[in-house]
Structure formats: C-alpha cells, structure tokens
Amino acid sequence: MIHLFPFLDCSDSSSDYRQIEHSRLQDEHIFIEFKGSSKEANRLFYVQEILYLDEVKDVCIMNLLVTDPSSLPPPFTEFGLPTVDSIVTLIGFGHPNHIYKTFEPKVRVLDWKSKRVEKSVEWVRSNYVQIKNILQFTGKPVEWVDIAYSILQNEGIVGLNCFMQHGASGAPGIAMTDRGLALVVMLQGGLPKFFNDIGHFAEQIPLEQRIEYGITMDIIRQDLLQHAPDLCKDVFGSN
C-alpha cells in the first residue's frame, strides 16, 4: 500500500530553501512522526521515495516506508476550495518536542483585498523606517519590509486570520462543505514575513498585524493533474 502524505512544509525562513539537498529527506535519521494520544505512542515512518516536490509552492508528497498499513492514521478523502466565506479549523504542533497542539476552531479566510490585510499592510507602511532599522540590526534582508504580506497575492495562497505556534507549518485546515468535512488548505507560514526572524523585536509588532497563510489543496490538485495525473488520482481521487 502506498500512503501519500502531502503535508511537509520544507521552508526555513532563516536560510535559503533552494540550497537544501532534497535527497536528505531519505536519510535514515529523518522521519515523519504522527503524534499519539496520551494513551498511544508516537508513530515514526521513514521516507521511501519523494514523489512530488515543488519548491515554489513549498509542497512535497512522499511515499512512506510502511510495513503495516493499519499503523497509519486514516488519510483525508474529501477536499475543497476555501473562499472568503469559509470558516476553517486548524490543528497543529509547533517545533519538535512541542508537546501542545495549537487549535484554532473558527478561522476566517482572507484574500489580498480583505480589510484585515489592507490594515496590516498600511501598518507596515506607517512603521517602515523602524522595521527596516530592526531588520538591518538583526542582519535580515531589509527588502523584507517591502514584501511583508505580498505572498497573499500569489495564486493559490490565502490568508488565515489566526495565530499559530512557530513551527506549525504543514498543519491541515479543515472546513465544512456540502460533502461534509474536507481538507481545504495547508498552513505554510506567518506574516509579516519578518515576524519570526527578528527575535525579541517581534514584541514591537502588534498581534493584530499577524496573519497566517496557507496554500489551497485545489492549486496542488491542479498542478498534479497537469504534471502527474496518476499521482493526482492517488492523492485526490478520481472526482
């Protein structure tokens, strides 16, 4: 049985992702961990094969090395497309060894034209010089101030009106559809772009300017349908 696991966030805001050697995902010291409950042990699986990797979209689909398919958690079988009218539930962990889940049950979906986004962009403009000085002082690219929220303009990227733990990237976003619960988005990071890279200076950024963002499952489906139709059918089904 091939179990497809399309939720690996490969980004690292403190380094250049494109310099990462992707074959290292199959290193014997790298594994995928499914957290167990208080009565269940965590389950670890190694990567057998990388089936799909898109650096721009920051998405990786892997075939896990599994001896007993029943040891895997059940996969998502329903998918949907979030809109600004959607209410999404996000569940995610922070960095490894972070023992608590972050649970956001009612998250509004935002687009580039949302008032919430417009206010945050305006706040950065109003504090442009101060933020640029902080970036320069901490050794981060000063041009980040100019693209603080601009990723929300990318196709298939949506804003999420919530605050997740640093390291929760890859968390699934679930929404109620006419077919029941469906996976609609994968968490990819937090905005403004520099928030998690300026240490204690982040305290100077009001929480109301924090926006998470994610990639829709639909844009991943479209790309797979074009470039890997058989894999698309394995992941998303034939509908």
Side-chain angles (χ1 to χ4, degrees), residues 121-132:
V121 171
E122 182 56 38
W123 181 87
V124 169
R125 288 173 181 162
S126 301
N127 294 272
Y128 186 89
V129 175
Q130 179 187 0
I131 296 171
K132 212 161 190 176

Side-chain angles (χ1 to χ4, degrees), residues 164-179:
M164 298 291 286
Q165 292 285 342
H166 188 203
S169 299
I174 304 166
M176 180 60 73
T177 69
D178 55 4
R179 301 185 310 278

Side-chain angles (χ1 to χ4, degrees), residues 78-99:
E78 293 291 342
F79 302 90
L81 179 63
T83 70
V84 291
D85 298 318
S86 300
I87 298 295
V88 175
T89 296
L90 287 167
I91 307 172
F93 284 96
H95 282 301
N97 299 323
H98 188 287
I99 62 174

